[in-house]
Amino acid sequence: MRRFVLAALVALACDGGAGGPKGETKPAGGGGGGGGGGGGGASGPENVGKATGARAFPADAPPAQACQVDTDCSVAVDAPVGSDPCCNVTVTAMPIANRYLQFMNEWKAGHCAGVSCPPLSLPGAQPAPCGLTARCNQGTCDNTCAVSPDGKAPPPPG
């Protein structure tokens, strides 16, 4: 059942695989997310702000992973962090700032009309449940995989 739901969400995110405009981000998991998108090979936040051909990431975009509290973060399965600011790429459960996603959705609405984006990659292996739960870890969006069941970070090794 879970694979069927994920496959349906991928089909919706890819607009049926037609490669049409992709104008919205579908965060998943905790911290204010919904569901959707794909997974697999992707670009990460290191590409935010890099120029791409005729389009460049907006210089005034907030940092893609900055946070102050857990609710500032989501876990996205597709996001505008690849080589083109108008097109989302699959990121397979990447912790990301809600503020960045909101800014990029608004920016894309005013700057990406008529842009045709390639379909998203199909999902890869699904992360552990902790990979789908967002948290703010010392000012950076993260997941809860490094948190013990009592809610505290485990002691450092050694």
Side-chain angles (χ1 to χ4, degrees):
M1 179 67 174
R2 187 175 189 172
R3 285 183 188 220
F4 174 77
V5 171
L6 183 58
L9 294 172
V10 169
L12 286 173
C14 294
D15 293 327
K22 177 81 177 90
E24 66 182 54
T25 298
K26 295 174 173 61
S43 298
E46 68 276 0
N47 290 324
V48 173
K50 292 188 178 177
T52 61
R55 290 184 290 269
F57 275 83
D60 56 342
Q65 293 182 302
C67 61
Q68 294 180 357
V69 295
D70 290 349
T71 56
D72 290 345
C73 302
S74 292
V75 176
V77 292
D78 69 269
V81 295
S83 61
D84 186 335
C86 290
C87 298
N88 285 6
V89 296
T90 52
V91 292
T92 312
M94 181 177 103
I96 194 162
N98 291 324
R99 190 168 154 228
Y100 172 79
L101 293 175
Q102 180 180 4
F103 175 92
M104 288 304 297
N105 282 335
E106 292 171 5
W107 183 88
K108 289 183 339 182
H111 294 85
C112 300
V115 172
S116 180
C117 296
L120 293 171
S121 301
L122 294 176
Q126 295 301 300
C130 61
L132 297 173
T133 304
R135 72 177 180 129
C136 184
N137 182 15
Q138 299 179 358
T140 301
C141 289
D142 198 354
N143 59 41
T144 60
C145 291
V147 177
S148 64
D150 64 1
K152 298 178 182 172

